[in-house]
Amino acid sequence: MNQIVSNLLVYGSLPEDSILWQLADICEKLRNGEESRDALRGRVFRQVKKLLTVSTDFAFDKNLWQNYLTFLLITNENPFSLVCEKMGAQDGTVNVFVKHDFEMFRNLFHYDFSWLEKELSVDCFTHLTHYHAIRKKELMYNKNVSEKVRSLSEKLAEARDAEEFFAHVTDFYRDYGVGMFGLNKAFRIAENEDGSVRFLPINNMDTVMLSDLIGYESQKQKLVENTRAFCEGKAANNVLLFGDSGTGKSTSVKAIVNQFYPQGLRMIEIYKHQFKDLSAIISQIKNRNYRFIIYMDDLSFEEFETEYKFLKAVIEGGVETRPENVLIYATSNRRHLIKETWKDRDDMEHNEDVHRSDTMEEKLSLVNRFGLTIFYAKPNKAGFNEMAVALARRAGITEAMMDDEEICLEANRFEMRGGGFSGRTAQQFANYLLTKMDVNHSS
């Protein structure tokens, strides 16, 4: 195996702690007698455990070894794969080297571990290549990733030569991209020890769709139209969704990402303390073949907070223009985002009956940089009842269990406990009602 791995060129930059590199080193040490069998057996077990961990995270199945190699291929960001992401496979000399690498991967796909198992008296790889995963509810890993890996893995296993292998991999790069951006919908930001930033995939993102949000049709339409234009490369605006709490602002943003993910839309969620990293974040995504929404939930600033100045510079006003593949979507309970006080008017100027406050202008200038503002108001009683009925029916409460009038009566009793008229309260009521009906059925 070491002879195969050492022949990789374009795809040869593997970290020393990777499973493939470690297994190759184990094979080399075993053939040369450089380590005891007991020590090598322990190293094999550690790599098998790592492989099982990765397989559990991404729901690999059947041939975990081939699934793992496929995962390596589709997450390897190199000059070739990044070009394929944007333009598909192109004619060029680099293809000669890549096809050589893919021939090596074909050999790895069908690598015979029997000699290793015999020498070390283990049978791990026999089981790993004929694996049956226990199917549970898919919560801890991104279903999107697992399905793509398993599908491509089967195609690559059946590839007759390097040419066919090349076609399958490059088609995947063109259709889905490469690396974590090609596999995941949403990300958070973490800071490395050296101050640089890295992206952490959100593997259990809510699968809500806009149709799940009852009401707010005009708001949803504005959001869809703006996002569709963005994904199609047309002019689009940064968006501020503001209004009462529990009205579906955050749900709308999550739903829009789910809807436009197949068109290359990705979301990066950041928090106020990370605004100083906005330039670094944008520099890493501006040349990728995706459309990115930088999402800020529950955005607001107290009088003493100044992080909004980083945001203002990025949205509009900085020396470096915002890339065309990046938009900012924010939700807030405040229309003007920054807390205003009467003291802000102390610097009021009077000039020919025109009154202007520099402090107020400074605070209002942030919200003015959002080209599209969408207001989400709390529903009235009739609207709340409509939501309660719709969500109760969606939850499985049939008319035989409760008619609409009974649901509305119960919903209003539930709301009086302090939730207020909102979509969030209506959803909480539906959950409560379903639990109540289940209890009644079980008794």
Side-chain angles (χ1 to χ4, degrees):
M1 181 182 291
N2 188 65
Q3 290 180 335
I4 300 174
V5 174
S6 62
N7 271 302
L8 293 174
L9 178 60
V10 179
Y11 288 80
S13 300
L14 296 169
E16 289 191 5
D17 62 346
S18 66
I19 298 171
L20 179 56
W21 194 96
Q22 285 293 317
L23 287 176
D25 187 62
I26 290 169
C27 291
E28 182 73 5
K29 294 288 195 300
L30 180 60
R31 288 193 183 279
N32 295 336
E34 296 179 23
E35 286 188 35
S36 69
R37 279 169 166 69
D38 288 340
L40 293 173
R41 187 181 301 111
R43 289 182 61 188
V44 166
F45 290 157
R46 286 194 290 273
Q47 298 314 307
V48 169
K49 183 179 179 181
K50 286 173 63 175
L51 182 54
L52 288 171
T53 299
V54 174
S55 300
T56 301
D57 289 342
F58 297 103
F60 295 166
D61 198 10
K62 296 181 180 177
N63 193 319
L64 304 190
W65 173 243
Q66 292 179 350
N67 286 177
Y68 165 71
L69 293 175
T70 302
F71 186 74
L72 283 184
L73 286 168
I74 63 180
T75 55
N76 192 308
E77 296 182 359
N78 58 62
F80 173 78
S81 61
L82 290 173
V83 168
C84 287
E85 175 185 277
K86 289 185 176 182
M87 307 170 61
Q90 302 292 306
D91 291 333
T93 305
V94 68
N95 289 0
V96 175
F97 303 115
V98 171
K99 289 175 183 177
H100 170 267
D101 280 6
F102 287 171
E103 182 60 37
M104 297 300 101
F105 266 94
R106 278 190 70 247
N107 294 335
L108 290 170
F109 254 69
H110 304 288
Y111 188 81
D112 185 2
F113 286 98
S114 61
W115 75 272
L116 179 67
E117 292 183 317
K118 182 178 179 181
E119 290 288 335
L120 296 180
S121 300
V122 298
D123 60 356
C124 307
F125 297 99
T126 299
H127 295 296
L128 291 177
T129 54
H130 298 83
Y131 195 79
H132 177 67
I134 299 174
R135 284 284 170 260
K136 292 185 177 181
K137 189 174 182 180
E138 297 175 322
L139 289 176
M140 297 310 294
Y141 56 82
N142 192 325
K143 182 180 179 181
N144 227 13
V145 177
S146 61
E147 290 178 346
K148 289 176 180 176
V149 169
R150 294 197 299 256
S151 176
L152 180 60
S153 178
E154 292 175 1
K155 293 179 181 177
L156 295 179
E158 296 173 359
R160 291 166 293 184
D161 50 36
E163 291 285 344
E164 192 171 337
F165 201 98
F166 178 91
H168 288 318
V169 176
T170 54
D171 285 350
F172 184 94
Y173 291 157
R174 182 198 61 211
D175 294 340
Y176 300 106
V178 61
M180 57 186 168
F181 293 134
L183 295 174
N184 299 278
K185 296 179 183 178
F187 305 85
R188 291 190 179 94
I189 297 299
E191 189 169 306
N192 297 316
E193 292 182 0
D194 61 358
S196 61
V197 296
R198 69 181 187 276
F199 299 89
L200 302 178
I202 300 174
N203 292 328
N204 57 344
M205 181 175 169
D206 195 345
T207 57
V208 65
M209 301 300 290
L210 284 173
S211 57
D212 297 326
L213 182 63
I214 307 300
Y216 301 102
E217 297 305 322
S218 63
Q219 289 90 336
K220 292 189 289 186
Q221 182 179 355
K222 291 177 183 177
L223 194 60
V224 167
E225 289 173 352
N226 190 74
T227 309
R228 180 179 292 116
F230 178 51
C231 291
E232 292 175 353
K234 301 175 183 176
N237 285 306
N238 299 305
V239 182
L240 173 64
L241 296 80
F242 73 98
D244 300 311
S245 62
T247 51
K249 303 182 295 296
S250 300
T251 298
S252 296
V253 176
K254 295 173 188 174
I256 210 73
V257 173
N258 288 328
Q259 179 171 334
F260 286 95
Y261 168 74
Q263 282 76 52
L265 186 65
R266 304 293 185 268
M267 181 178 79
I268 300 171
E269 184 176 22
I270 70 169
Y271 304 97
K272 280 190 292 189
H273 70 276
Q274 298 172 320
F275 285 1
K276 60 181 175 56
D277 298 320
L278 273 169
S279 295
I281 293 168
I282 290 175
S283 68
Q284 292 192 44
I285 62 178
K286 64 182 180 181
N287 294 320
R288 299 304 299 266
N289 195 33
Y290 303 97
R291 299 280 163 172
F292 292 94
I293 287 176
I294 296 180
Y295 172 51
M296 305 163 187
D297 190 30
D298 197 18
L299 184 64
S300 65
F301 300 91
E302 296 303 319
E303 187 179 4
F304 59 86
E305 294 178 310
T306 60
E307 291 90 343
Y308 69 90
K309 294 184 179 181
F310 291 107
L311 182 56
K312 281 175 56 179
V314 168
I315 295 179
E316 184 181 337
V319 175
E320 184 178 8
T321 59
R322 176 175 50 81
E324 63 175 13
N325 70 328
V326 176
L327 280 184
I328 294 175
Y329 281 21
T331 66
S332 179
N333 295 336
R334 291 179 181 171
R335 170 66 176 85
H336 290 155
L337 298 179
I338 306 169
K339 185 177 181 180
E340 299 173 60
T341 66
W342 285 107
K343 290 189 296 184
D344 295 340
R345 300 173 182 267
D346 289 346
D347 63 347
M348 188 76 73
E349 294 181 3
H350 302 272
N351 183 17
E352 297 181 359
D353 293 330
V354 176
H355 306 283
R356 179 176 64 84
S357 164
D358 288 339
T359 302
M360 292 180 64
E361 288 292 323
E362 168 75 7
K363 290 190 171 184
L364 293 176
S365 63
L366 174 59
V367 72
N368 292 336
R369 281 169 163 77
F370 288 90
L372 178 61
T373 56
I374 306 175
F375 178 53
Y376 283 68
K378 282 190 175 181
N380 56 24
K381 183 176 180 179
F384 174 75
N385 287 340
E386 180 183 348
M387 289 180 180
V389 171
L391 291 171
R393 297 294 182 227
R394 185 178 294 169
I397 306 300
T398 65
E399 289 196 29
M401 298 177 184
M402 296 179 71
D403 60 30
D404 290 359
E405 186 175 346
E406 288 177 302
I407 291 176
C408 291
L409 181 62
E410 285 288 329
N412 283 276
R413 288 175 179 167
F414 185 88
E415 179 275 328
M416 290 176 66
R417 300 175 184 178
F421 293 138
S422 71
R424 179 180 295 143
T425 303
Q427 182 61 64
Q428 291 169 346
F429 165 71
N431 297 339
Y432 156 79
L433 200 59
L434 188 60
T435 302
K436 180 180 176 183
M437 298 302 293
D438 286 342
V439 170
N440 289 341
H441 283 312
S442 63
S443 61

